[in-house]
Amino acid sequence: MITAFIGPSGCGKSTLIKSLNRMNDLVEGCKITGDIMLDGENIYGNIDVNALRKRVGMVFQKPNPFPMSVYDNIAYGPRTHGIKSKFKLNEIVEKSLRDAAIWDELKDRLKKSALSLSGGQQQRLCIARALSVNPDVLLMDEPTSALDPISTSKIEELVIKLKRDYTIVIVTHNMQQATRISDRTAFFLLGDLIEYGDTEQIFSIPQDKRCEDYITGRFG
């Protein structure tokens, strides 16, 4: 399933999504209350954070490939988790790039620097990199906001395809994008969750006036 987080800037969408794989642990003075359950286990309990981030991958707003080859970007995570076999790494690199719908574009450029790719290709490479460690959940923080319409469309098609195998949470400012790709939508305002439900219902008959005002463009 794909869940979209929508709401005006500064309402807490990115803060919440970063809580889902404990990225906020890195923020000085950050205080966390409550539980976040992953397969029945509280991720803020006694859990290995590296193992958690293997299971809950993240793709950011701005593509952030490592300054190394396309191949090494994808192989980096599996190597970190102890996979050394060249044969196995080759398999993972090809599968990850295929799953991210970019294998055909990059199969002859695996030794080239990832920084030489276009913005849209870099973002799909970053998605492939997140998939390379076989996560359960994929978090996406405005993954298309820095991209042109054609690249955005490719990423959206990819995300819809990936939901067959992954739970996906996406932060988006683009409400058309939320309606196109998400199954459920959560609307945030000033740090509070105001409304959550099926995307079709949220956009056609929102229950809260503030949600209605936002999606009809009265503010935000």
Side-chain angles (χ1 to χ4, degrees):
M1 187 186 289
I2 300 170
T3 300
F5 289 177
I6 63 169
S9 293
C11 68
K13 305 183 296 293
S14 292
T15 301
L16 179 59
I17 202 172
K18 285 175 184 161
S19 299
L20 303 180
N21 70 345
R22 293 188 52 171
M23 292 286 286
N24 287 331
D25 288 18
L26 308 170
V27 178
E28 200 173 328
C30 179
K31 174 168 153 279
I32 291 158
T33 58
D35 299 333
I36 293 176
M37 310 303 288
L38 178 62
D39 291 337
E41 184 179 10
N42 178 19
I43 68 167
Y44 284 93
N46 185 19
I47 193 168
D48 178 340
V49 176
N50 286 330
L52 170 69
R53 292 189 188 139
K54 179 177 183 290
R55 293 175 63 196
V56 185
M58 183 130 192
V59 177
F60 296 91
Q61 182 171 358
K62 196 166 179 293
N64 61 341
F66 300 144
M68 51 181 74
S69 71
V70 167
Y71 184 99
D72 287 335
N73 261 269
I74 307 297
Y76 185 89
R79 281 178 180 139
T80 304
H81 293 287
I83 295 173
K84 298 284 184 275
S85 155
K86 182 76 172 156
F87 176 77
K88 185 73 180 140
L89 287 171
N90 289 348
E91 270 191 339
I92 290 170
V93 169
E94 179 171 343
K95 181 179 188 306
S96 302
L97 290 170
R98 281 191 186 281
D99 287 350
I102 197 169
W103 169 252
D104 289 339
E105 290 170 56
L106 298 187
K107 64 185 178 189
D108 300 321
R109 301 171 65 181
L110 297 179
K111 292 194 163 57
K112 292 261 168 53
S113 167
L115 302 180
S116 68
L117 305 179
S118 71
Q121 288 174 325
Q122 286 187 9
Q123 193 62 301
R124 279 182 289 150
L125 178 71
C126 291
I127 292 170
R129 188 176 67 198
L131 299 179
S132 69
V133 292
N134 203 22
D136 301 319
V137 181
L138 197 55
L139 309 177
M140 309 182 99
D141 193 358
E142 295 197 53
T144 61
S145 66
L147 304 179
D148 62 89
I150 291 171
S151 298
T152 295
S153 172
K154 284 184 176 174
I155 300 265
E156 287 182 5
E157 284 171 25
L158 170 59
V159 171
I160 290 167
K161 194 181 88 178
L162 290 174
K163 84 167 184 180
R164 293 197 296 251
D165 300 306
Y166 304 93
T167 296
I168 297 172
V169 182
I170 184 166
V171 169
T172 180
H173 266 115
N174 182 332
M175 281 181 283
Q176 287 78 20
Q177 181 172 75
T179 59
R180 283 193 297 264
I181 69 173
S182 70
D183 302 289
R184 308 273 287 172
T185 295
F187 169 64
F188 295 85
L189 186 64
L190 301 174
D192 289 328
L193 172 62
I194 304 299
E195 190 167 347
Y196 171 63
D198 288 341
T199 296
E200 198 175 325
Q201 174 260 305
I202 291 275
F203 282 92
S204 55
I205 38 171
Q207 305 298 301
D208 191 288
K209 180 77 167 62
R210 292 164 294 179
C211 184
E212 182 184 344
D213 287 348
Y214 180 71
I215 62 179
T216 54
R218 292 199 183 99
F219 76 92

